[in-house]
Amino acid sequence: MLLKELLVRLPESVQNWLIARAMRSGRVLDTPVFGMLMRTLEFYGGDVAEIEAVCRAAGRGRTIKDAVTEAWLAKITQGNQAFDRGDADEARQRYLDACMYFFLLEYFTDDLEESRRRYEVFMPMYERFATLAEPPIRRVSLPYAGGEVKAQFRLPQTNGVLPAVIFLQGNEGVKEHMLSFEGCALRQGMATLSMDPPGYGETLFTGLTWNDERDFRSAVALAVDFLLETGRVRSDAIGIFGVSGGGLTSHYAASLETRIAASAGLGATSPHTFVESWRFALASQKKKSFRYTGTDNLRDCEAWMRRLQKEILRSLPRLAVPNLWVSGTEDTLVPVGDIRRVTEELGAHSELWPIPGGDHLCSQFLADGLADQIFDWLADKLQTGNRI
């Protein structure tokens, strides 16, 4: 943490030079952040030993990003070959492998046009993967003024009218990140809808950014409308879940949309401190915020953040449904004490799960049952249909 405190005080050009050097030398692979990223990819279904080997093989003029890009394209090719010869199991696995490398590449990328070009390669592959996923993924476009809200919908292999969960990714994520979390909900017999809100993922590339509360409120309302229009979702049993920044906005969404019956967040940022956390971020991370805010400079971006902070702090006290905040006690980005303050302010309907030893995403424990426990909690709240 001391190293980052020193790094963020340096000029942007120096920060970028040092990060690029760490990427070339491989030293970035030994940082706590990279360890958390690898554990999260393992939960997502990635072969971490292979991914680390690819990263550590970089050198001799090739950066880690170059090596990961080569592996990503190779997995897409292997998946396409298996798909074309009718080997569904092999194609599904190779496409899933490609997803892991795609997620890693996006983590290393702050240039929007580079992300756009990569998405153009990724999405045709993902459309094939969607047909092979179990249960299948239905890709959804929800018309909205100025663009479309993109989402993916899945139903468990059960009949009847079901509870459902809407998923929101973190500030550097895309809806496709939610596959493993979707699996937790599907195993509980709940339908899933993962969405890219305005300014994120595919939705951003249709022209939508998050201008103010109305954009976010409207996108969440569209998601709820879609779920109800399927005829497969109970109107009194819609929950919402998100990670990191999406953890906070999931609770925010539940305070805005009265048809949401429960909310849960993993590693949620604090409404009191997320602007200061953003100011403490590396320059490359701050620039990623330009995507969803629709700004192009740090001053305007910070002003946008402060407006959002006021909107969330004004709205959260209206959160009148069960809400769960899961926070690692070793989270260096969002101290658990900050989240305890929030849950105490929200009152008896709010629960805090402090996870001993957990990092920002409690990545050490996701695959060992924590993720399933979160969705046990959601299933319990949604099955009863009771509000507090």
Side-chain angles (χ1 to χ4, degrees), residues 8-116:
V8 296
R9 289 180 170 84
L10 297 173
E12 178 182 347
S13 59
V14 179
Q15 287 186 34
N16 292 340
W17 181 82
L18 289 171
I19 292 170
R21 186 168 182 177
M23 290 282 287
R24 286 194 301 271
S25 68
R27 289 181 180 176
V28 70
L29 304 178
D30 299 317
T31 62
V33 170
F34 190 81
M36 180 178 71
L37 183 59
M38 287 298 100
R39 289 188 295 270
T40 304
L41 289 179
E42 185 173 27
F43 168 68
Y44 289 168
D47 183 340
V48 171
E50 178 190 283
I51 295 170
E52 287 191 357
V54 166
C55 293
R56 293 188 185 280
R60 297 179 182 177
R62 284 196 320 160
T63 65
I64 293 173
K65 200 171 178 181
D66 293 335
V68 172
T69 299
E70 290 175 15
W72 173 57
L73 294 174
K75 294 295 184 182
I76 292 177
T77 299
Q78 293 164 11
N80 287 339
Q81 291 170 344
F83 187 94
D84 291 341
R85 66 173 182 265
D87 189 341
D89 290 341
E90 177 69 13
R92 185 187 306 110
Q93 186 57 56
R94 298 292 79 79
Y95 286 151
L96 183 61
D97 293 342
C99 287
M100 300 303 115
Y101 287 110
F102 173 80
F103 300 155
L104 188 56
L105 285 168
E106 282 299 288
Y107 182 80
F108 288 139
T109 302
D110 58 16
D111 181 79
L112 179 59
E113 289 308 310
E114 181 181 339
S115 288
R116 188 191 303 273

Side-chain angles (χ1 to χ4, degrees), residues 346-382:
L346 292 176
H349 54 287
S350 184
E351 293 184 41
L352 169 63
W353 287 3
I355 306 302
D359 57 27
H360 180 52
L361 296 180
C362 300
S363 63
Q364 308 96 319
F365 309 108
L366 289 176
D368 293 334
L370 177 60
D372 284 319
Q373 291 169 20
I374 294 170
F375 287 89
D376 287 345
W377 182 92
L378 271 169
D380 177 66
K381 302 304 177 186
L382 297 178

Side-chain angles (χ1 to χ4, degrees), residues 65-367:
K65 200 171 178 181
D66 293 335
V68 172
T69 299
E70 290 175 15
W72 173 57
L73 294 174
K75 294 295 184 182
I76 292 177
T77 299
Q78 293 164 11
N80 287 339
Q81 291 170 344
F83 187 94
D84 291 341
R85 66 173 182 265
D87 189 341
D89 290 341
E90 177 69 13
R92 185 187 306 110
Q93 186 57 56
R94 298 292 79 79
Y95 286 151
L96 183 61
D97 293 342
C99 287
M100 300 303 115
Y101 287 110
F102 173 80
F103 300 155
L104 188 56
L105 285 168
E106 282 299 288
Y107 182 80
F108 288 139
T109 302
D110 58 16
D111 181 79
L112 179 59
E113 289 308 310
E114 181 181 339
S115 288
R116 188 191 303 273
R117 292 191 298 270
R118 189 178 296 122
Y119 240 109
E120 290 172 354
V121 176
F122 175 71
M123 290 318 301
M125 177 224 82
Y126 194 79
E127 288 174 357
R128 285 185 160 193
F129 172 71
T131 67
L132 302 175
E134 298 176 340
I137 297 166
R138 173 184 166 189
R139 287 173 39 74
V140 176
S141 296
L142 306 175
Y144 186 74
E148 294 177 316
V149 173
K150 297 290 189 175
Q152 59 183 37
F153 177 62
R154 303 174 78 184
L155 282 167
Q157 295 176 335
T158 186
N159 297 321
V161 183
L162 310 168
V165 180
I166 297 168
F167 292 79
L168 299 179
Q169 72 281 68
N171 288 342
E172 297 180 357
V174 292
K175 64 184 177 299
E176 293 80 17
H177 277 157
M178 296 291 102
L179 284 170
S180 289
F181 290 113
E182 290 173 2
C184 296
L186 291 162
R187 289 192 292 274
Q188 290 280 358
M190 297 187 286
T192 66
L193 182 72
S194 295
M195 63 183 292
D196 284 328
Y200 291 83
E202 278 190 287
T203 299
L204 170 62
F205 297 139
T206 74
L208 287 182
T209 56
W210 182 348
N211 295 313
D212 55 32
E213 179 183 290
R214 289 170 296 179
D215 288 326
F216 185 66
R217 182 196 293 268
S218 297
V220 174
L222 280 175
V224 175
D225 289 343
F226 168 82
L227 287 172
L228 296 178
E229 288 166 4
T230 66
R232 293 295 311 276
V233 173
R234 283 172 42 195
S235 61
D236 65 340
I238 297 174
I240 191 165
F241 167 81
V243 298
S244 193
L248 175 58
T249 54
S250 290
H251 296 305
Y252 176 44
S255 73
L256 295 171
E257 173 54 69
T258 59
R259 294 174 293 177
I260 293 177
S263 58
L266 170 65
T269 49
S270 165
H272 296 291
T273 61
F274 77 84
V275 177
E276 293 310 309
S277 296
W278 175 83
R279 294 186 68 219
F280 183 66
L282 296 172
S284 57
Q285 293 174 306
K286 288 180 182 177
K287 283 192 170 181
K288 285 190 177 183
S289 305
F290 294 172
R291 300 185 183 195
Y292 55 88
T293 63
T295 58
D296 60 6
N297 63 78
L298 294 177
R299 184 181 64 182
D300 289 347
C301 191
E302 182 172 345
W304 184 97
M305 293 275 185
R306 293 200 180 280
R307 286 195 303 273
L308 176 64
Q309 183 179 44
K310 290 179 180 178
E311 291 172 359
I312 292 177
L313 288 172
R314 183 175 62 247
S315 185
L316 269 187
R318 299 196 295 267
L319 183 56
V321 298
N323 55 94
L324 174 65
W325 304 67
V326 183
S327 180
T329 62
E330 300 303 316
D331 186 346
T332 58
L333 298 176
V334 187
V336 67
D338 291 354
I339 301 304
R340 181 173 287 106
R341 173 188 174 188
V342 176
T343 57
E344 289 174 351
E345 290 171 346
L346 292 176
H349 54 287
S350 184
E351 293 184 41
L352 169 63
W353 287 3
I355 306 302
D359 57 27
H360 180 52
L361 296 180
C362 300
S363 63
Q364 308 96 319
F365 309 108
L366 289 176

